[in-house]
Amino acid sequence: MYIYILCFIVSSFCIWQSEIVKSKKIKILFEVLGILIICTLAGLRSDEIGTDVGIYCKPLYEQAETSTSFRDYLSKRVTNSRIVSDYEIGFITLVFLCAKIFENFQILLFAIQLLIVVPIFKGIKIISKKENNRIWLSMLIFYCMFYNVSLNLMRQFIAIGFIFLGTANLISNENKKNIKFVICLLIGFLFHSSALMGLLIYALYKVINHSYKKVRIGNINIPLKQIATVLISITGIFLLINNNILVTILNLFDMQYYTRYIEGNVSFLTSTVFKLLPVIFLFAFSNKKELKNKNNNYYFYILLFLYSVIVDQFTSVNVFAARIAFVFAIFNIISFSEMVYSLKRNVNIKVAKTFIFIYISAYWYYYFVYEGGHETIPYKFFWN
């Protein structure tokens, strides 16, 4: 357990140093160190760390080792019901290359984590140039809330990393931002089909961030962004209650695999209240006027958070539904940090940071240590 804490702290410290030093070379050095520390931790782990490592990652690697060619590899059986070609082409190609070039399973695990962490780190950097955000805090939130999950859901978190990077390019308002988003989405899709959820995030972004006008209701002018946020949230709740409609939509997009996550009777989960705590606290104390002035993605982040909570309710039907919620929840690493640094007074920022530290520490301990989520604790080195 303690090796995770140590690596989280040291990596976050390196990234914090990269933000405050003036020398570009030293800045890059600290960034590389921060990323290498956290990826090396993933690379040195035993194949018992992370449920899916033993289910498909190690078997895929072993089949790659014994295959005579890539074509031969594609036809090999991984489980009784699945062969290699049943998995996404990007992931199996990565496994094959690591097996044939490096002949080392630990390098594969390192490479997988690199493909997760680098897009997320780069996405945070892109957003931080435009918005009131601290890279080190966003990364620390990622470590505590998502790092252990990524050691298990490897394929999906590579896809999530590229969805995040693509969305960051949209937010940055750079030239050719749509093209960059599409490229990131395609790369993510090569590793996991859930990358298609990025299309929904793209649609939400376009609707929210192109609602510039205000609507006059009585004597009050209400921004269209607020109205759109409320309407889209209500739509999400409606689909949650009437999940049979959502099943039909997934079938239309040939995503029948995911219907098993949402088909059944949905009930409200009390654990959601715990997940809502940081937002309730931050919304109560953060400077909302400051956020709206500096950050035109304020309502977009709110919507993504609400959708992560809505989708999370499907875990009452199937515990694996939480995997879909991660696609939306990953943006908490940005929104939480921005809410903290929207505060004007330094004393308020310190109080908010203290709360966030306590919350993400409690979150990490409860879900990964106490409940043993994703089978990543206790940590074991591969040589044990």
Side-chain angles (χ1 to χ4, degrees):
M1 178 180 86
Y2 296 108
I3 192 168
Y4 286 110
I5 298 171
L6 177 63
C7 289
F8 291 173
I9 292 173
V10 175
S11 177
S12 299
F13 175 79
C14 288
I15 293 168
W16 173 61
Q17 286 294 306
S18 74
E19 292 187 84
I20 62 175
V21 297
K22 294 182 180 180
S23 170
K24 189 174 181 180
K25 290 182 179 179
I26 297 176
K27 183 185 291 289
I28 293 172
L29 176 63
F30 274 120
E31 288 179 350
V32 171
L33 278 174
I35 291 172
L36 283 179
I37 287 167
I38 215 70
C39 291
T40 301
L41 180 65
L44 295 178
R45 75 187 191 270
S46 160
D47 56 16
E48 296 176 16
I49 304 300
T51 310
D52 286 358
V53 176
I55 290 176
Y56 67 80
C57 191
K58 190 66 180 289
L60 282 171
Y61 179 84
E62 290 172 344
Q63 295 293 10
E65 278 186 311
T66 58
S67 61
T68 56
S69 65
F70 189 72
R71 180 178 292 182
D72 175 48
Y73 176 53
L74 292 175
S75 62
K76 286 185 175 289
R77 188 161 295 281
V78 180
T79 65
N80 291 332
S81 59
R82 303 190 75 176
I83 60 174
V84 171
S85 60
D86 290 333
Y87 294 87
E88 290 83 356
I89 188 64
F91 190 79
I92 60 176
T93 300
L94 174 66
V95 174
F96 184 80
L97 290 174
C98 286
K100 294 303 184 184
I101 297 173
F102 301 106
E103 299 180 352
N104 190 298
F105 183 64
Q106 308 314 133
I107 290 179
L108 171 62
L109 294 179
F110 175 86
I112 290 170
Q113 204 62 32
L114 204 64
L115 284 172
I116 295 170
V117 174
V118 170
I120 288 174
F121 177 75
K122 186 170 177 58
I124 294 170
K125 280 192 70 176
I126 290 170
I127 294 172
S128 69
K129 291 178 183 178
K130 181 175 183 284
E131 299 177 3
N132 194 24
N133 178 65
R134 298 297 186 276
I135 300 171
W136 72 269
L137 181 56
S138 290
M139 288 302 293
L140 183 60
I141 295 168
F142 167 73
Y143 295 154
C144 291
M145 299 186 75
F146 302 105
Y147 179 78
N148 290 72
V149 185
S150 72
L151 297 181
N152 176 25
L153 310 182
M154 296 164 286
R155 290 151 52 224
Q156 184 177 357
F157 259 81
I158 293 175
I160 287 173
F162 280 99
I163 291 173
F164 184 84
L165 177 58
T167 307
N169 281 300
L170 284 177
I171 290 171
S172 70
N173 291 324
E174 292 179 357
N175 293 330
K176 299 182 179 179
K177 57 186 179 180
N178 290 329
I179 295 175
K180 290 180 180 180
F181 178 84
V182 171
I183 292 171
C184 287
L185 205 64
L186 289 174
I187 295 172
F189 186 74
L190 291 175
F191 288 90
H192 203 269
S193 59
S194 64
L196 287 175
M197 294 295 292
L199 295 174
L200 176 57
I201 292 175
Y202 179 84
L204 293 176
Y205 176 81
K206 288 297 182 180
V207 170
I208 294 298
N209 278 44
H210 284 77
S211 302
Y212 301 113
K213 297 180 181 179
K214 292 184 178 182
V215 176
R216 190 172 183 82
I217 301 176
N219 296 322
I220 304 173
N221 289 323
I222 302 177
L224 270 175
K225 284 187 178 185
Q226 289 185 9
I227 296 173
T229 301
V230 171
L231 290 177
I232 295 171
S233 299
I234 291 172
T235 302
I237 295 169
F238 174 78
L239 291 173
L240 174 66
I241 298 170
N242 300 277
N243 54 329
N244 57 313
I245 298 174
L246 197 53
V247 169
T248 303
I249 294 171
L250 287 175
N251 287 334
L252 285 174
F253 285 93
D254 197 29
M255 297 179 71
Q256 294 90 343
Y257 177 80
Y258 294 99
T259 59
R260 64 190 179 122
Y261 295 156
I262 61 174
E263 212 166 8
N265 296 320
V266 182
S267 58
F268 178 75
L269 298 173
T270 54
S271 61
T272 302
V273 177
F274 176 69
K275 293 182 179 180
L276 281 169
L277 280 177
V279 174
I280 294 171
F281 178 91
L282 290 172
F283 270 105
F285 292 94
S286 62
N287 188 333
K288 288 172 278 297
K289 184 178 180 180
E290 184 78 3
L291 276 170
K292 292 174 185 177
N293 288 339
K294 289 188 175 181
N295 179 7
N296 61 355
N297 298 297
Y298 175 74
Y299 293 108
F300 177 58
Y301 293 140
I302 291 175
L303 200 55
L304 291 177
F305 175 80
L306 289 174
Y307 263 66
S308 72
V309 173
I310 290 169
V311 174
D312 204 40
Q313 302 312 302
F314 285 113
T315 55
S316 62
V317 176
N318 188 319
V319 67
F320 294 109
R323 299 184 178 205
I324 304 174
F326 287 132
V327 177
F328 302 101
I330 191 66
F331 291 89
N332 291 347
I333 66 179
I334 290 294
S335 58
F336 288 7
S337 176
E338 289 192 359
M339 286 179 188
V340 168
Y341 285 99
S342 71
L343 300 169
K344 288 186 176 180
R345 297 176 59 189
N346 287 334
V347 64
N348 291 340
I349 291 175
K350 289 178 181 178
V351 170
K353 280 197 293 188
T354 301
F355 173 81
I356 284 293
F357 292 154
I358 293 171
Y359 173 77
I360 61 178
S361 299
Y363 184 100
W364 181 80
Y365 184 85
Y366 180 78
Y367 285 105
F368 305 117
V369 181
Y370 180 75
E371 287 203 330
H374 302 278
E375 297 184 351
T376 59
I377 294 175
Y379 183 87
K380 295 180 183 177
F381 288 101
F382 73 93
W383 58 75
N384 288 346

